[in-house]
Amino acid sequence: MANTVKDFSVEEKLIAVLTLQKIDSKIDEIKTLKGELPMEVKDLEDEIEGLQTRIQNIDAEIESINKFIATKSDAKKEAQALIKKYEKQQDNVKNNREFEAINKEIELQELEVKLNEKHIKDATYEQKERMAQRTKTEEKIAALQESLKVKKAELEKIIVDTEKEEKQLFAQSEEAQKKVDERLLSAYTRIRSSYKNGLAVVPILRDSCGGCFNIIPPQRQSEIRQRKKIIVCEHCGRILVDNELNDQTSIQK
């Protein structure tokens, strides 16, 4: 972002970047308040979607099994019908040879009946397994949907409570960036992105860096209080400001 702030004193530059830090820290507080909720909501939605796809797949498997059972049931009926037909033919045979031939056909059809019954039994067991899986999946979806409902309600409440403030702070942050020296803004952005807490500008706290808490030598502290040059922590690289400047610098409500 191109800036035209070139003639400001070091103190004014420090105030500008410190103001930006305080605004961005307020935004970070709101994000912390939301916590992991946005990610948790997204994860729950993805998991529910995945389980719903699983139910669709189970339904397709159940339909396939039902068709298989229907086919085998028809085959069983056909075999039973042939058995009755052959049994009637046995009453009209002329010799033992014909009787034996028909008897073999009956035996074959009886085997066919038993084979189809086994297929139907196995498929029925598999069908029950799929139905049980479907029931468990539906129960899991119901539990996840309840959890999602709670998480969404929590997130929506936070959003409602903070939306106005967050929009205002984002606007303030954009405006504050325009007042920060270009090189200093670049350093601020780089340092801020390096730390989870987003602190790039910190005061001295109990003779220590407010970011990494390493001791700041007295001579260094004196230089920081003079505000004649930008000084960074030798340990963590954060921009250091004195307590008085930190306390005096505030942001609009």
Side-chain angles (χ1 to χ4, degrees):
M1 183 183 294
N3 293 317
T4 57
V5 184
K6 295 180 180 179
D7 300 323
F8 285 174
S9 67
V10 170
E11 182 173 340
E12 287 170 326
K13 290 178 181 179
L14 285 170
I15 291 172
V17 74
L18 179 57
T19 300
L20 176 60
Q21 175 67 79
K22 292 198 172 190
I23 294 168
D24 287 343
S25 290
K26 280 287 183 183
I27 294 172
D28 291 342
E29 285 177 16
I30 293 174
K31 289 180 180 178
T32 300
L33 185 62
K34 291 178 183 176
E36 299 294 322
L37 280 174
M39 188 178 297
E40 288 175 8
V41 166
K42 181 67 169 61
D43 288 344
L44 283 169
E45 288 174 339
D46 289 346
E47 190 172 356
I48 289 170
E49 186 179 346
L51 290 173
Q52 287 171 337
T53 300
R54 183 188 296 177
I55 282 184
Q56 291 174 0
N57 292 336
I58 291 173
D59 286 343
E61 290 174 359
I62 290 172
E63 184 179 355
S64 178
I65 292 169
N66 288 338
K67 288 179 179 178
F68 178 81
I69 291 173
T71 300
K72 293 303 174 181
S73 295
D74 289 342
K76 177 185 173 182
K77 288 177 183 178
E78 288 176 11
Q80 288 173 330
L82 285 172
I83 290 171
K84 288 181 180 180
K85 176 185 173 183
Y86 291 141
E87 285 175 344
K88 285 182 180 180
Q89 287 179 358
Q90 277 183 331
D91 295 335
N92 300 315
V93 295
K94 295 176 181 179
N95 52 55
N96 286 338
R97 186 176 177 183
E98 287 183 10
F99 183 86
E100 289 297 327
I102 293 173
N103 199 49
K104 284 184 179 180
E105 288 296 331
I106 291 173
E107 288 176 356
L108 285 172
Q109 294 308 315
E110 285 174 342
L111 287 173
E112 185 69 17
V113 169
K114 289 180 180 179
L115 182 61
N116 283 312
E117 284 176 343
K118 184 180 185 305
H119 285 156
I120 291 168
K121 182 181 178 181
D122 292 344
T124 301
Y125 177 80
E126 191 173 346
Q127 181 191 56
K128 288 179 180 177
E129 286 287 302
R130 294 292 184 275
M131 291 298 293
Q133 289 175 9
R134 194 186 197 285
T135 300
K136 286 182 181 179
T137 305
E138 284 181 327
E139 289 172 353
K140 189 170 184 180
I141 287 174
L144 289 173
Q145 285 176 333
E146 187 60 33
S147 180
L148 177 61
K149 183 180 177 182
V150 172
K151 296 287 185 184
K152 275 188 170 181
E154 289 178 16
L155 182 58
E156 285 170 8
K157 186 179 185 304
I158 293 171
I159 290 172
V160 168
D161 292 344
T162 60
E163 186 175 21
K164 184 178 178 181
E165 181 185 6
E166 194 172 19
K167 283 183 179 179
Q168 182 180 350
L169 287 168
F170 274 120
Q172 288 179 342
S173 178
E174 288 182 7
E175 192 61 31
Q177 288 178 43
K178 298 175 184 177
K179 299 178 182 178
V180 180
D181 175 80
E182 187 173 355
R183 289 175 61 187
L184 189 56
L185 178 61
S186 177
Y188 167 84
T189 303
R190 176 178 52 78
I191 298 167
R192 180 169 155 75
S193 64
S194 300
Y195 297 102
K196 288 183 179 180
N197 61 12
L199 292 177
V201 184
V202 294
I204 298 171
L205 301 173
R206 296 178 183 176
D207 300 325
S208 302
C209 167
C212 66
F213 306 109
N214 278 288
I215 296 295
I216 306 295
Q219 178 60 36
R220 198 71 164 167
Q221 291 186 45
S222 176
E223 292 175 357
I224 292 167
R225 285 193 295 271
Q226 291 173 19
R227 306 169 194 167
K228 291 184 178 179
K229 60 180 179 179
I230 305 294
I231 297 176
V232 300
C233 175
E234 295 176 351
H235 301 280
C236 66
R238 289 180 172 95
I239 300 165
L240 295 168
V241 296
D242 60 276
N243 272 319
E244 185 179 354
L245 184 64
N246 185 61
D247 293 341
Q248 290 174 351
T249 305
S250 60
I251 59 176
Q252 295 178 352
K253 298 291 185 181

